[in-house]
């Protein structure tokens, strides 16, 4: 087949996961917000959301949202909703990073404007949080499908992986105003771009993931691993471009030698103590000088 036909077919296969992922989100929302509230024998384990969403001036629309979508505002979601509505007020709120609350705040203003004030600011924030989490989850499933398919070239495994991600037993957290969905979206997208040798775009996506959750900083390990272990031929095959071999090999060797120096110093410190680590660092000074010289040569 011509390349454009193959590309079109690949995108069509990726879109095939959208329907089951959307159905999964709909079933989770229906179960949590509609079906369970109607069962008299089922009680909320945590009722703090009722206190957080209580508004004596709420209208009928706000009462409906609090009775349905409000059931997803529990535990950490209470903090995200509060930060999006009022900003950072208390010390413990600084444990939650600002990107998700900022997106919720911006979308809630659009919702309030479009609805003409039918829903309150608090209800608009809840709607925005639920909407963002569910949309991000669906797109994350598509990105996971693409990532697995590109890594192992197995359509069935890629499809099943994305489907199982959407049907996770903890799937309720992917629909609530939590960071799991949007964080997964940035991680899967960043890994896929890194695999395609789009390093700068991958770093941007990893940075966005870090703005969502603090443990996103660990994603820099993928970038370091990529810089050390990915060969220029692999990068050229992914990007279908011819890379300057001298420039790429030299920088790859610099990455490797710098990381090797760190490992040697760390191993010496662990095995023989801090003094031995310092001595090893001193003996590696010549290697550092050689690295700097090679960087200068490559830059020229």
């Amino acid at each position: 087949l011509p390349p454009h036909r193959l590309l079109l077919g690949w995108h069509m296969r990726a879109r095939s996961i959208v329907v089951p992922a959307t159905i999964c989100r709909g079933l989770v929302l229906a179960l949590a917000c509609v079906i369970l509230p109607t069962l008299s024998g089922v009680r909320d384990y945590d009722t703090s959301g009722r206190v957080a969403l209580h508004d004596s001036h709420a209208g009928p629309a706000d009462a409906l949202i609090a009775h349905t979508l409000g059931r997803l505002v529990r535990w950490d979601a209470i903090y995200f909703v509060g930060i999006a509505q009022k900003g950072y007020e208390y010390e413990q709120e600084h444990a939650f990073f600002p990107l998700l609350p900022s997106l919720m705040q911006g979308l809630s203003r659009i919702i309030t404007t479009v609805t003409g004030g039918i829903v309150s600011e608090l209800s608009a924030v809840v709607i925005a949080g639920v909407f963002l989490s569910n949309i991000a989850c669906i797109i994350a499933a598509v990105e996971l499908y693409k990532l697995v398919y590109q890594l192992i070239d197995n359509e069935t495994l890629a499809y099943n992986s994305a489907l199982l991600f959407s049907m996770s037993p903890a799937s309720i957290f992917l629909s609530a105003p939590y960071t799991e969905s949007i964080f997964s979206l940035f991680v899967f997208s960043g890994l896929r771009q890194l695999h395609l040798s789009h390093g700068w775009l991958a770093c941007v996506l990893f940075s966005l993931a870090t703005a969502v959750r603090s443990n996103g900083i660990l994603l820099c390990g993928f970038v370091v691993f990529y810089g050390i272990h990915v060969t220029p031929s692999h990068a050229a095959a992914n990007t279908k471009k011819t890379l300057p071999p001298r420039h790429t090999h030299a920088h790859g060797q610099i990455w490797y030698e710098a990381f090797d120096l760190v490992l040697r110093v760390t191993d010496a410190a662990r095995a023989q103590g801090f003094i031995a680590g310092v001595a090893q660092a001193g003996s590696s000074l010549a290697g550092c000088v050689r690295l700097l010289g090679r960087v200068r040569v490559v830059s020229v």
Side-chain angles (χ1 to χ4, degrees):
L1 292 175
H4 68 278
R5 292 289 300 276
L6 290 174
L7 183 62
L8 178 61
W10 188 84
H11 281 290
M12 291 300 293
R13 289 192 297 270
R15 291 179 182 178
S16 66
I17 196 64
V18 172
V19 175
T22 303
I23 293 175
C24 289
R25 293 303 95 218
L27 290 176
V28 170
L29 289 175
L31 180 64
C33 302
V34 179
I35 298 177
L36 290 181
T38 61
L39 301 178
S40 58
V42 179
R43 295 183 178 181
D44 287 340
Y45 176 75
D46 178 27
T47 58
S48 56
R50 297 181 184 178
V51 179
L53 298 178
H54 177 71
D55 186 358
S56 58
H57 301 288
D62 298 319
L64 177 62
I65 293 171
H67 185 68
T68 54
L69 297 182
R71 293 181 175 273
L72 298 175
V73 182
R74 297 291 188 272
W75 295 294
D76 291 355
I78 296 176
Y79 288 98
F80 289 120
V81 170
I83 295 171
Q85 184 186 14
K86 304 176 183 178
Y88 289 90
E89 292 185 316
Y90 305 103
E91 181 180 357
Q92 63 268 25
E93 292 177 343
H94 290 277
F96 304 96
F97 275 34
L99 183 55
L100 178 59
S102 299
L103 294 175
M104 292 169 59
Q105 183 184 61
L107 183 58
S108 67
R109 292 176 179 175
I110 298 176
I111 294 174
T112 303
T113 303
V114 171
T115 58
I118 296 178
V119 296
S120 65
E121 180 184 359
L122 178 59
S123 298
V125 169
V126 173
I127 295 174
V130 174
F131 176 81
L132 287 171
S133 291
N134 284 272
I135 293 297
C137 180
I138 295 172
I139 303 176
V142 175
E143 286 295 314
L144 178 60
Y145 174 92
K146 294 179 180 180
L147 175 63
V148 176
Y149 187 78
Q150 290 175 354
L151 284 174
I152 60 178
D153 195 22
N154 188 322
E155 181 181 354
T156 301
L157 184 58
Y159 184 88
N160 291 338
S161 299
L163 190 61
L164 290 175
F165 168 76
S166 302
M167 298 173 58
S168 167
S171 187
I172 186 65
F173 294 103
L174 301 176
S175 289
Y178 271 61
T179 57
E180 273 74 1
S181 290
I182 190 169
F183 183 76
S184 299
L185 171 59
F186 288 138
V187 171
F188 296 156
S189 302
L191 290 175
R192 192 170 74 87
Q193 295 302 323
L194 193 62
H195 176 68
L196 295 173
S197 299
H198 301 158
W200 283 107
L201 182 55
C203 289
V204 170
L205 292 168
F206 289 160
S207 299
L208 291 173
T210 307
V212 175
R213 297 175 66 121
S214 59
N215 54 1
I217 191 65
L218 299 177
L219 294 169
C220 65
F222 288 105
V223 180
V224 174
F225 179 87
Y226 177 84
I228 295 173
H229 291 281
V230 174
T231 63
S233 59
H234 184 201
N238 285 334
T239 58
K240 300 186 182 302
K241 296 179 181 178
T242 302
L243 300 179
R246 173 180 172 81
H247 178 83
T248 307
H249 278 292
H251 274 91
Q253 187 65 21
I254 290 170
W255 270 97
Y256 177 80
E257 291 186 11
F259 191 66
D260 183 63
L261 289 178
V262 175
L263 289 180
R264 280 188 288 162
V265 173
T266 304
D267 290 341
R270 288 179 177 178
Q272 304 175 19
F274 177 76
I275 301 300
V278 174
Q280 180 65 40
S283 65
S284 301
L285 181 60
C288 294
V289 173
R290 288 197 301 271
L291 283 178
L292 293 176
R294 295 186 64 178
V295 170
R296 190 173 303 171
V297 170
V298 170
S299 300
V300 173

